[in-house]
Amino acid sequence: NQPLPTVLANILDTSITQNKRVKLVVVSHITSVPAMVMPVEEMAAICKQRNVALLVDGAHALGQLNVDLTELQSIGVTYWVGNAHKWLYAPKGSAVMFVSSGNSTTQNILVPTVISSAFDKGVVDEGSLLLNRFQYTGTRDYTSFCAISDALQFVQGVGLDRISTYNHELIVWAQSYLSKLWGTDVLVPDTLVGFMGNVRVPKDSGDGKIANFLQQNLLEKYGMYTVVFELLPEVGTAAGWWFRLSAQIYLEQNDFRQLGDAVLQLLQQV
């Protein structure tokens, strides 16, 4: 009977207190499967109270959420990493790593997996060991990094609020529409939905055959791709196979109506 963010925060707190060796907690800002916006604020508060470092994996967050790194640092986030190619319209290979400035040790212990002749000193001395170390990591294509500013300009031009409102409202509508059309259900409440939703696979056989059949034939016969995933029996009534659906500014309600009809047509072959 408690809100899901409170439940998850309590689970985290119990795990930390029962294991005194915990030094670092890693959580997703938005999980992939199932897709859900995680209660980072509540989890950060627990980690800060227990004096445990927190790394937030924001792979799906940039572009879906209004990420304020200064605010995240203030509530107890130690590290934050995120991709720019998933929802921020930047090329693959573009990403962000944030390290809290509250403790110099937090920054100085980080070393890139590839070092170069400019290690520690940097090509241009930034006055920061962290920045110098990660400034140049050997011979590679850096153009994806340079494209992030253009991606940000595109988002600002369209309007982050417009994108967020459109995509969120579209996926909330889509998962509700499809669950009713297929006679199934939605996994998480709308308040924990970003631009991705989860709808139970209709006529789920429990062994993945229906889900995999639909995924393969949607792609081959209709040119539609959906992620399918399984939740194990340990999660209780949510166990089974689910579609993960994504909304984007180039999609509209009719696209999801076509998906819904295509699934019903394919199910007639089962």
Side-chain angles (χ1 to χ4, degrees):
N1 295 324
Q2 291 181 314
L4 186 56
T6 302
V7 173
L8 293 174
N10 289 339
I11 291 173
L12 175 61
D13 191 34
T14 300
S15 299
I16 294 175
T17 54
Q18 289 181 349
N19 187 347
K20 301 301 182 182
R21 297 184 301 168
V22 173
K23 301 298 181 184
L24 176 69
V25 170
V26 181
V27 300
S28 294
H29 212 146
I30 300 178
T31 52
S32 177
V33 287
M36 183 177 75
V37 179
M38 294 290 282
V40 169
E41 292 80 5
E42 289 84 349
M43 292 182 163
I46 296 297
C47 291
K48 191 173 185 178
Q49 177 184 353
R50 302 299 181 187
N51 196 29
V52 173
L54 174 62
L55 187 157
V56 177
D57 177 359
H60 281 281
L62 276 181
Q64 282 200 65
L65 302 177
N66 185 7
V67 179
D68 186 334
L69 295 175
T70 302
E71 173 64 20
L72 290 174
Q73 176 178 262
S74 69
I75 64 175
V77 174
T78 317
Y79 309 100
W80 191 95
V81 292
N83 292 325
H85 76 269
K86 290 182 180 292
W87 298 95
L88 199 65
Y89 312 106
K92 288 184 177 180
S94 55
V96 174
M97 180 180 73
F98 169 80
V99 185
S100 172
S101 60
N103 187 333
S104 60
T105 303
T106 301
Q107 297 188 354
N108 294 341
I109 61 174
L110 294 183
V111 178
T113 55
V114 177
I115 64 174
S116 71
S117 56
F119 182 65
D120 280 2
K121 295 182 179 180
V123 177
V124 177
D125 189 355
E126 297 279 1
S128 162
L129 185 60
L130 176 71
L131 294 179
N132 286 351
R133 284 178 172 177
F134 285 87
Q135 182 187 99
Y136 178 70
T137 54
T139 303
R140 57 167 298 166
D141 185 354
Y142 288 89
T143 53
S144 61
F145 296 175
C146 301
I148 294 180
S149 61
D150 294 282
L152 289 171
Q153 289 179 20
F154 173 77
V155 170
Q156 291 169 354
V158 177
L160 177 60
D161 290 340
R162 290 179 63 198
I163 294 173
S164 299
T165 299
Y166 179 83
N167 286 338
H168 175 72
E169 291 181 352
L170 179 58
I171 198 61
V172 167
W173 173 88
Q175 64 177 10
S176 175
Y177 169 81
L178 292 172
S179 64
K180 293 174 182 176
L181 179 68
W182 297 337
T184 62
D185 51 332
V186 172
L187 184 58
V188 301
D190 295 347
T191 54
L192 299 179
V193 172
F195 300 170
M196 301 185 291
N198 315 277
V199 181
R200 190 186 292 275
V201 173
K203 293 187 178 181
D204 177 20
S205 58
D207 57 7
K209 290 183 179 180
I210 299 295
N212 290 316
F213 168 81
L214 291 172
Q215 183 187 48
Q216 179 179 350
N217 284 273
L218 282 170
L219 179 60
E220 294 178 353
K221 297 181 179 180
Y222 295 90
M224 303 176 182
Y225 180 75
T226 61
V227 173
V228 295
F229 64 93
E230 180 186 17
L231 291 180
L232 299 177
E234 287 80 359
V235 299
T237 57
W241 288 82
W242 298 78
F243 284 116
R244 190 196 76 184
L245 309 172
S246 300
Q248 194 45 276
I249 56 176
Y250 47 76
L251 297 175
E252 56 188 14
Q253 290 184 358
N254 192 50
D255 293 302
F256 291 99
R257 290 191 181 98
Q258 292 180 34
L259 171 64
D261 293 341
V263 167
L264 293 180
Q265 292 169 16
L266 288 171
L267 286 174
Q268 295 177 6
Q269 304 174 29
V270 177

